[in-house]
Amino acid sequence: MPDLFDMLSTIARRRKAAGGSPFSTVKATEKWLEALPADSDYDAHHVLVEGLERFNAENEAASLSRMKSLMKMEEAGLPLQLRIVEQYVRNQASFRLARQALWRESWVFWSLLAEAWLGMLKGAYRGPASAEIKPFAAEIAARALRYAGLVMRWDYHQARDPAGSAWRRVHKIYRLAERDGFATQTVQINARSTHCAREYTLVVLMGLAHPLGYRTQEIETIAQIFEGYEPLSLPAAVPQREVHTHVVDLSLSEGACVLDDDWVQGRRLRYLALRPLIDYLKSLDRSSAAEGDNGLTQQVASLIERGGIRRNRQRTHRFGRVWVAAGMDNILAALAHPDAARSYPALEPWMLRDESTEGMGFALPAASTLPHGRLVAVTWDPSENIWQLLAIRWNREEDGQHLVGAQRLSRHPKRVEIYFEPDGQGGAQDKTWAVFIPMTHLDQGGSNLLIPKTHYRLGAPLMLRDGDMLYRLRLGEVQESHEGWLRVRMDVMGREQFAVAA
């Protein structure tokens, strides 16, 4: 009877295993992979994609066994994916349905891998098996970054900007890697040495190259050049003049941009020295080996040098003359109420070229010195006293025209008076003008204040007067420097009528 009982138990276990998940053990996963179709790369890839989808859908807690199963699937899938990508790149001139099918298969593969490794990373920190998975955090995070970046790259193939959530994901993973000290710990992915800082930098570089207008072959060529460039600059927390050229804010939902002359060090700001890479890209176009690129690397170098085209919305052509007050002195004069100052500041007529919810593009009659971060106030009619505040983001020459792009900071900026709270000893209040910037977009997290550098101290209490209202503020972190002025976060601690306060 015991022998019969053991036999029945064995049969039951085998039936359970046969009807259960192929990823319950590493051995079961290996057996499942051995059964992949051998006569067709596309069929084998498709089955593997379905397997990754099932792996994620199981919602099993992360464990060392599941991590090893995922490694096995990745090991088997990457060579297949490489061959599918080669077909996709080669078949751009073929009929559209094949091209779209291959793009979708690749995009889904990268997406599922990114989701799986992100889930594994979460399990390493707060799952029941975190103690056994945590030693592999560097390998897991590097993969999560790499595959998230590849999903973004495949969005570029469809002329789509990556979502803000995609940028937030890679920023958060990289911050985690920095915090726990494994950002530069070498790992192996597909027999290639890399680490989190390098994978993160590659994602940022593709964002700077802004490849929405490039063909599929060109996007993949750019990516291969970046990945093959060994002396890649890694993010640094401390800026160095004459060294760093670009900056990325790990708290925002966007990529990097070029540095201006007035640098500010921030807890979540990271700096990149991209001049050697830019020179290398330019040198490729001068070599005989790159004659077939039609200036591709020169164009990419120019885009990175220009630094960060922040266009999260489609722009619409909108022509006409607007009036612009450039520089803070002119902006403060422009924002003064007409009853208080009848004389208008020195306004410049600019021709509007296009506009979106994010900013405006202008065509100027002559080249002007407009550095990144220069503030401008724009209005259609100065007599109406309705202004928008923008920051210059790029300049370029095109067909004899000087084109300028600006990011909108606020549609309703207000000139306000600020001073430090009296110390009770009758000291001077040191009043000065500032600009209150109401929140333009919900993802900005709150309103900002433009103040002179001389009036900034992190956490300092500040008084703000707007008409007959008096606000008590606390200054937060610096968001950006604008030629001697700082755009900072602020917390409102209280408000009261000015007459009562006096």
Side-chain angles (χ1 to χ4, degrees):
M1 183 66 71
D3 293 339
L4 178 60
F5 179 77
D6 290 341
M7 186 174 64
L8 291 173
S9 298
T10 302
I11 293 173
R13 283 197 301 269
R14 285 177 180 172
R15 286 179 176 174
K16 183 178 180 182
S21 169
F23 316 115
S24 56
T25 65
V26 177
K27 195 167 184 178
T29 303
E30 290 175 341
K31 189 174 181 181
W32 180 82
L33 290 169
E34 289 172 359
L36 289 177
D39 56 346
S40 168
D41 282 347
Y42 184 81
D43 290 343
H45 187 275
H46 190 71
V47 172
L48 192 61
V49 165
E50 290 180 337
L52 283 168
E53 190 172 17
R54 179 175 177 178
F55 181 90
N56 291 336
E58 286 176 349
N59 277 329
E60 292 284 343
S63 65
L64 190 58
S65 173
R66 281 184 69 81
M67 190 192 81
K68 290 179 178 179
S69 291
L70 184 57
M71 285 274 196
K72 292 291 182 181
M73 297 173 73
E74 177 190 85
E75 184 182 355
L78 288 179
L80 282 171
Q81 174 75 342
L82 179 60
R83 294 196 287 272
I84 293 295
V85 169
E86 287 175 350
Q87 291 181 41
Y88 164 64
V89 173
R90 283 200 312 266
N91 282 283
Q92 293 303 300
S94 302
F95 56 97
R96 188 176 64 86
L97 291 179
R99 187 175 69 230
Q100 281 297 106
L102 291 170
W103 172 85
R104 185 186 178 281
E105 281 290 305
S106 299
W107 181 85
V108 171
F109 180 82
W110 297 135
S111 299
L112 292 171
L113 270 184
E115 182 183 347
W117 284 112
L118 181 63
M120 206 62 66
L121 185 62
K122 292 177 179 177
Y125 280 85
R126 56 172 182 259
S130 60
E132 63 180 8
I133 306 176
K134 189 74 175 288
F136 301 95
E139 294 190 8
I140 296 172
R143 284 169 164 79
L145 278 169
R146 177 161 183 78
Y147 299 130
L150 283 164
V151 174
M152 295 166 74
R153 192 161 107 201
W154 251 246
D155 279 334
Y156 292 132
H157 283 301
Q158 296 291 304
R160 294 200 305 239
D161 261 322
S165 58
W167 281 113
R168 287 195 297 273
R169 172 182 288 193
V170 295
H171 290 335
K172 286 180 179 179
I173 296 173
Y174 180 67
R175 275 161 45 196
L176 177 69
E178 273 195 341
R179 187 197 71 185
D180 285 5
F182 57 78
T184 56
Q185 181 178 326
T186 301
V187 302
Q188 295 287 320
I189 302 179
N190 199 25
R192 185 179 64 91
S193 295
T194 187
H195 48 65
C196 290
R198 183 174 182 84
E199 294 300 330
Y200 175 75
T201 303
L202 290 172
V203 177
V204 171
L205 284 176
M206 285 304 292
L208 278 170
H210 199 70
L212 294 185
Y214 288 125
R215 297 188 300 271
T216 291
Q217 295 93 334
E218 292 172 330
I219 293 174
E220 289 306 293
T221 297
I222 294 167
Q224 295 309 315
I225 291 173
F226 288 161
E227 292 186 7
Y229 183 70
E230 287 302 324
L232 197 64
S233 171
L234 302 180
V238 179
Q240 298 181 50
R241 291 187 181 278
E242 310 302 328
V243 174
H244 293 123
T245 58
H246 292 69
V247 62
V248 60
D249 191 333
L250 302 181
S251 64
L252 298 182
S253 303
E254 57 191 29
C257 62
V258 75
L259 274 167
D260 59 13
D261 294 330
D262 297 319
W263 294 7
V264 174
Q265 185 174 343
R267 185 166 55 90
R268 290 188 176 177
L269 298 181
R270 297 296 178 268
Y271 302 88
L272 296 163
L274 300 184
R275 175 52 55 190
L277 174 61
I278 293 170
D279 293 340
Y280 171 72
L281 291 170
K282 290 179 178 179
S283 73
L284 290 179
D285 266 345
R286 292 192 293 268
S287 67
S288 58
E291 288 178 357
D293 289 343
N294 296 322
L296 173 64
T297 56
Q298 177 71 35
Q299 295 173 29
V300 175
S302 176
L303 282 166
I304 295 175
E305 202 167 24
R306 215 158 68 201
I309 304 175
R310 301 185 179 185
R311 291 187 177 184
N312 297 329
R313 302 290 185 275
Q314 187 67 35
R315 292 194 171 206
T316 56
H317 295 293
R318 187 179 182 187
F319 300 102
R321 186 184 66 177
V322 294
W323 293 96
V324 176
M328 280 304 299
D329 289 342
N330 287 333
I331 290 174
L332 288 172
L335 295 180
H337 196 276
D339 294 340
R342 288 289 181 183
S343 60
Y344 295 115
L347 300 180
E348 305 172 26
W350 288 11
M351 292 303 297
L352 186 63
R353 193 166 177 263
D354 51 23
E355 184 178 13
S356 75
T357 57
E358 303 290 333
M360 296 179 174
F362 305 97
L364 305 187
S368 304
T369 304
L370 296 169
H372 173 88
R374 168 72 59 84
L375 295 169
V376 295
V378 178
T379 185
W380 290 89
D381 185 354
S383 64
E384 294 181 352
N385 202 43
I386 299 174
W387 297 87
Q388 298 184 42
L389 186 69
L390 301 99
I392 301 298
R393 292 305 182 204
W394 54 263
N395 301 265
R396 75 171 183 266
E397 297 290 336
E398 185 177 293
D399 298 330
Q401 284 187 310
H402 186 70
L403 305 182
V404 175
Q407 180 188 17
R408 182 180 290 106
L409 301 180
S410 178
R411 293 184 182 274
H412 305 287
K414 297 180 70 174
R415 188 176 81 153
V416 294
E417 190 177 51
I418 61 170
Y419 56 89
F420 289 112
E421 200 166 4
D423 55 12
Q425 300 178 1
Q429 294 182 336
D430 191 21
K431 295 183 179 180
T432 190
W433 294 112
V435 176
F436 172 63
I437 307 175
M439 180 174 61
T440 301
H441 304 294
L442 293 177
D443 58 1
Q444 288 182 349
S447 301
N448 290 173
L449 190 66
L450 269 173
I451 62 174
K453 280 186 177 179
T454 54
H455 279 65
Y456 178 72
R457 293 196 304 271
L458 180 61
L462 197 71
M463 306 300 291
L464 181 151
R465 182 182 176 186
D466 179 19
D468 60 352
M469 294 300 298
L470 190 64
Y471 297 84
R472 183 174 288 102
L473 312 177
R474 177 179 292 139
L475 297 180
E477 289 187 346
V478 173
Q479 300 299 292
E480 189 175 359
S481 172
H482 301 276
E483 301 178 299
W485 287 72
L486 301 179
R487 178 158 52 89
V488 303
R489 294 187 187 275
M490 62 179 190
D491 295 318
V492 178
M493 310 305 294
R495 67 174 185 173
E496 53 190 320
Q497 291 285 338
F498 181 74
V500 176

